Amino acid sequence: MTAAVFAPTGAEAAAPAAQVGLGQAINQALAAELAADEKVLVMGEDVGALGGVFRVTAGLRERFGTDRVRDTPLGEAGIVGTAIGLALRGYRPVCEIQFDGFVFPAFSQITTQLAKLRARSGGRLSLPVTIRIPYGGRIGAVEHHSESPEALFAHTAGLRLVSPSNSQDAYDITRAAIACPDPVIVFEPKGLYWSKGQVAEPPDGAAPDLSVLNRARVARRAGETGGGQVTLAAYGPSVPQALAAAERLAEDGVESEVLDLRAISPIDFDAIAESVARTGRLVVVHEAPVFFGAGAEIAARVTERCFYLLEAPVLRVGGYHLPYPPALIEHDYLPGPERIVAAVRRALDF
Amino acid sequence: MPTALAPSPSPVPAPPAGDETPPAIRPEPAVRRAIYRDMVLTRAFDQAATALQRQGELALWAPSLGQEAAQVGSAHALGEEDWVFPSYREHGVLQSRGVDLKQLLPLFRGADNGGWDSEAHRVHLYTLVVGAQTLPAVGYAMGLALDGAAGAVVVYLGDGATSQGEVSEALVWAASCAAPVLFFVQNNGWAISTPTRTQARVALARRGEGFGVPGVAVDGNDADACWAATAAALGRIKAGQGPQLIEALTYRLGPHTTSDDPSRYRPAEEEASWMARDPIPRLRAGLEEDGQADADFFAEVDSAAAALAAESRRSCLGIEPPDLSTCFDWVYGTEHSLVAEERAGVAGR
Ligand SMILES: Cc1ncc(C[n+]2csc(CCOP(=O)(O)OP(=O)(O)O)c2C)c(N)n1
């Protein structure tokens, strides 16, 4: 096994990176933060004995007790609203919203209180509240269990939005979100909860690296030389779709670079611009409806910043202007490799 | 007549009945004098602010006229260790907690968003979203309980606010978590033009019962009674008996805000009948009757009130608008590239 060659030796030897599911990685991150800081609380509907409907909080109550892993009454405004009060008292609450479509009762607390209190108080008040929302489709769920409401929150100043696409990022992002003094909404791609990846945990006591809340990651380089004809920018559940599209394009000799944005507020435009400088074309992919979505913002900004670098207009692939469709036809609605490849072909044709 | 939309026995505060139970305990004379003083100062400030709005110096003002006993009486029952989560009209509560009322003026002049130092006096910021402060208040009380701290939270809300779903959630949470929180509902008869009976068919004192939050009604124009009811409730809450609710039956003597015109919806006789129950002369009469304050005291209070009004006026006229570029400084606690980019753009204009 070659990995052993690069592994540190002696006392600092870290545990070899294990293969864990994305949901399990979040569980490990929650456990790490609960253990590191007694002010961290996990709260939400059914997060205790059940471990959450996706079992992301499984085992935490047994380890940290009912005061720190709290089953709340069934009310989303209550979950976020009381988390605000707890944060004002010096706690670091991590709220679980059971499903994407059920965050709206908390919308007012999130946008009118949570997002604004730091600015209103001239920086005196800090609200380190994390809101975890399992979101997105591809699990064959019924109504209100597959939505992507991120743009509705991205429009509000004072919030940070992130979405991991693999186990390592899920671990790092969750720890960073909890450590961050700002309110962070973590959009967790529920369709990827079971997808496995390596998670290397930092040595005990190492502070989380907050830059994962701001920075995109190159998920696929275009060719050995770094050249390529198109950049695919995606986040969360769309990253594996973009990677699959890139594989197909490669088979046809089209080299593409895949950027995993990770952060939705702020968006790492520097990374996008750098990639566009290499490729000259940009296709943005997300599950949320295209209309007024994150892709619209990216297209506008990239056009401003990279007008002379672009060989084609920035194209978007995403959901339609429809209520999320019945699950049996969600694959026609969601941007998969085929629609992404078609968009790339359009971009190449300009 | 079908009953569904028929007028119910009105939970709008009744005019003087004269049969309120006298409070079992009374504030000490010194506390009673301090309550009187804060009521008079609050009113003087309130009237100065109303005048400033009429002269175009404030964008809006929400008068507390007539509600001084409910606010100041209750607030004086709080200890150092207790916390207040106000709505947007609790000027008397702020005055009682030692917040300099002049700090309210930038918010209503449009020069800031109302961010005084909430830790200094344990008074959270005003909340203009009706009822939204109740959930953070309960969360804060949960935090106090987790810390094993001695204090409690008093959250102030209006009769209209009780219709907000979030307030029902706050009652559920408070009961479920046995949070040390007191819901102090000022039933001032009206939510802008909407009478209390549109919000509630059962007395608001009973609103918490089904949630497991017991409540009492108190004459909100009797400062002694408001103090006594609050002191008793906080005593029970701090003894670990769970959350409570108080409905203070009072009246908004002025308009809802300076943009409002109560003559369009409110009978003049109703206003007049409440004018006759003005809480300030009422407490003054009590102090005089009981020999707890003399002419010198009242003269000192009046001159302090006049000074506060004059100072408030001066202070208001001196408030300058902030520089837009400074507004970028506090949106996030850590660097956010979009904010940084826009801040730089604004600075370079
Ligand atoms: C959520 C929300 N809806 C509507 C308003 C507009 N509004 C401001 S004050 C008010 C009436 C509130 O009445 P009440 O709670 O009784 O308090 P009061 O003003 O009488 O003290 C309304 C409707 C608001 N500020 N917030």
Side-chain angles (χ1 to χ4, degrees):
Chain A
M1 213 179 104
T2 52
V5 175
F6 302 103
T9 53
E12 312 103 68
Q19 286 281 333
V20 296
L22 186 150
Q24 178 62 27
I26 295 169
N27 179 281
Q28 286 178 13
L30 293 171
E33 286 301 307
L34 280 160
D37 181 355
E38 61 175 23
K39 293 293 183 185
V40 173
L41 307 174
V42 166
M43 51 200 280
E45 295 155 13
D46 310 301
V47 297
L50 180 65
V53 292
F54 292 104
R55 313 291 184 267
V56 171
T57 57
L60 298 179
R61 190 182 76 161
E62 289 76 357
R63 224 179 122 186
F64 298 100
T66 47
D67 269 357
R68 300 194 55 210
V69 181
R70 300 180 84 104
D71 273 329
T72 65
L74 205 171
E76 287 71 20
I79 293 169
V80 176
T82 56
I84 292 170
L86 283 158
L88 290 170
R89 183 67 201 170
Y91 286 88
R92 306 185 88 86
V94 185
C95 305
E96 177 173 298
I97 300 294
Q98 208 157 64
F99 280 95
D100 37 53
F102 308 134
V103 69
F104 300 107
F107 193 80
S108 176
Q109 286 291 328
I110 296 172
T111 55
T112 72
Q113 312 295 312
L114 182 63
K116 289 191 173 171
L117 280 167
R118 173 180 290 276
R120 285 192 60 201
S121 66
R124 286 192 189 96
L125 301 177
S126 191
L127 289 149
V129 174
T130 301
I131 301 175
R132 300 180 32 245
I133 309 180
Y135 87 122
R138 299 185 202 281
I139 63 162
V142 292
E143 226 219 341
H144 294 303
H145 291 73
S146 305
E147 306 190 358
S148 298
E150 62 271 21
L152 294 164
F153 295 97
H155 206 60
T156 300
L159 304 171
R160 287 177 177 278
L161 275 57
V162 276
S163 183
S165 69
N166 60 67
S167 297
Q168 183 70 58
D169 280 356
Y171 179 86
D172 293 337
I173 280 174
T174 303
R175 291 200 63 181
I178 298 169
C180 182
D182 295 318
V184 181
I185 306 182
V186 185
F187 287 93
E188 299 178 356
K190 65 169 97 79
L192 299 180
Y193 272 149
W194 301 274
S195 75
K196 300 244 183 213
Q198 291 206 330
V199 173
E201 298 193 25
D204 273 352
D209 171 13
L210 296 197
S211 74
V212 289
L213 304 177
N214 307 322
R215 290 225 189 104
R217 168 183 79 88
V218 179
R220 182 189 203 274
R221 282 263 168 208
E224 288 299 305
T225 57
Q229 291 146 279
V230 64
T231 298
L232 300 174
Y235 53 84
S238 295
V239 173
Q241 305 300 323
L243 286 168
E247 290 298 317
R248 278 200 213 170
L249 288 162
E251 286 165 19
D252 295 342
V254 177
E255 278 302 324
S256 48
E257 188 155 299
V258 177
L259 263 191
D260 177 352
L261 295 176
R262 297 197 292 210
I264 309 167
S265 177
I267 291 173
D268 187 352
F269 286 108
D270 290 341
I272 303 177
E274 278 166 30
S275 183
V276 168
R278 289 190 287 267
T279 64
R281 293 178 188 81
L282 176 64
V283 173
V284 187
V285 190
H286 53 58
E287 289 192 7
V290 162
F291 189 65
F292 272 84
E297 182 61 41
I298 293 169
R301 293 233 171 204
V302 169
T303 306
E304 277 179 20
R305 279 182 62 160
C306 308
F307 188 67
Y308 294 106
L309 297 173
L310 287 168
E311 306 283 346
V314 179
L315 298 180
R316 293 167 287 159
V317 190
Y320 301 109
H321 195 55
L322 289 174
Y324 196 86
L328 290 178
I329 55 167
E330 70 180 339
H331 291 283
D332 291 340
Y333 169 90
L334 294 168
E338 247 161 62
R339 280 175 56 202
I340 299 169
V341 168
V344 169
R345 299 243 174 261
R346 270 182 65 210
L348 290 167
D349 282 348
F350 270 93
Chain B
M1 199 177 164
T3 52
L5 289 175
S8 67
S10 169
V12 173
D19 58 356
E20 286 86 7
T21 333
I25 38 170
R26 266 178 181 275
E28 293 290 313
V31 174
R32 238 180 151 200
R33 281 192 295 271
I35 291 175
Y36 178 81
R37 192 170 195 279
D38 281 339
M39 286 169 66
V40 173
L41 262 62
T42 302
R43 182 166 295 186
F45 173 80
D46 187 60
Q47 283 172 338
T50 304
L52 283 163
Q53 197 285 329
R54 299 289 181 223
Q55 292 156 5
E57 300 294 346
L58 294 178
L60 183 80
W61 184 246
S64 55
L65 184 70
Q67 297 181 221
E68 294 90 348
Q71 297 188 357
V72 178
S74 62
H76 273 269
L78 273 67
E80 257 308 286
E81 70 281 11
D82 296 325
W83 268 85
V84 167
F85 277 68
S87 178
Y88 46 79
R89 197 193 291 285
E90 268 67 80
H91 320 319
V93 178
L94 268 62
Q95 167 68 27
S96 308
R97 292 298 279 176
V99 179
D100 181 349
L101 289 179
K102 294 193 292 294
Q103 291 189 39
L104 283 172
L105 297 170
L107 169 66
F108 289 95
R109 189 169 167 91
D112 78 11
N113 287 319
W116 53 80
D117 183 348
S118 50
E119 300 276 333
H121 301 284
R122 305 191 173 209
V123 179
H124 189 57
L125 309 184
Y126 272 8
T127 303
L128 288 166
V129 185
V130 167
Q133 75 280 14
T134 54
L135 284 165
V138 173
Y140 200 92
M142 288 163 65
L144 288 172
L146 277 174
D147 291 346
V153 173
V154 182
V155 57
Y156 287 86
L157 62 152
D159 47 298
T162 62
S163 295
Q164 287 285 343
E166 283 166 286
V167 175
S168 291
E169 270 179 73
L171 289 164
V172 170
W173 247 262
S176 173
C177 303
V181 59
L182 171 63
F183 294 85
F184 194 92
V185 180
Q186 287 170 79
N187 180 355
N188 66 5
W190 298 88
I192 311 189
S193 68
T194 309
T196 309
R197 66 177 164 274
T198 304
Q199 322 283 352
R201 293 307 181 101
V202 172
L204 289 170
R206 296 183 56 198
R207 175 62 62 96
E209 271 173 29
F211 295 99
V213 179
V216 293
V218 64
D219 179 347
N221 280 22
D222 179 344
D224 295 334
C226 290
W227 180 89
T230 308
L234 285 175
R236 286 191 297 269
I237 290 167
K238 291 182 194 179
Q241 291 181 34
Q244 305 252 335
L245 184 151
I246 291 175
E247 177 190 13
L249 295 151
T250 181
Y251 195 77
R252 192 191 81 210
L253 277 176
H256 167 72
T257 65
T258 43
S259 310
D260 178 36
D261 176 8
S263 74
R264 295 169 76 98
Y265 56 83
R266 180 158 96 176
E269 316 81 68
E270 184 184 294
E271 219 171 290
S273 77
W274 281 92
M275 209 64 99
R277 299 182 85 187
D278 186 332
I280 290 181
R282 184 165 164 183
L283 181 56
R284 180 177 177 140
L287 283 165
E288 283 170 340
E289 242 171 65
D290 299 343
Q292 291 173 340
D294 57 16
D296 284 353
F297 168 77
F298 292 115
E300 186 277 324
V301 169
D302 287 343
S303 79
L308 175 61
E311 238 177 86
S312 301
R313 198 179 162 74
R314 251 195 320 276
S315 156
C316 178
L317 300 180
I319 298 170
E320 295 292 336
D323 186 331
L324 178 64
S325 63
T326 65
C327 296
F328 292 94
D329 293 351
W330 306 116
V331 184
Y332 294 93
T334 47
E335 194 67 10
H336 188 285
S337 52
L338 175 62
V339 172
E341 183 187 319
E342 292 185 352
R343 180 203 281 121
V346 165
R349 272 192 318 201

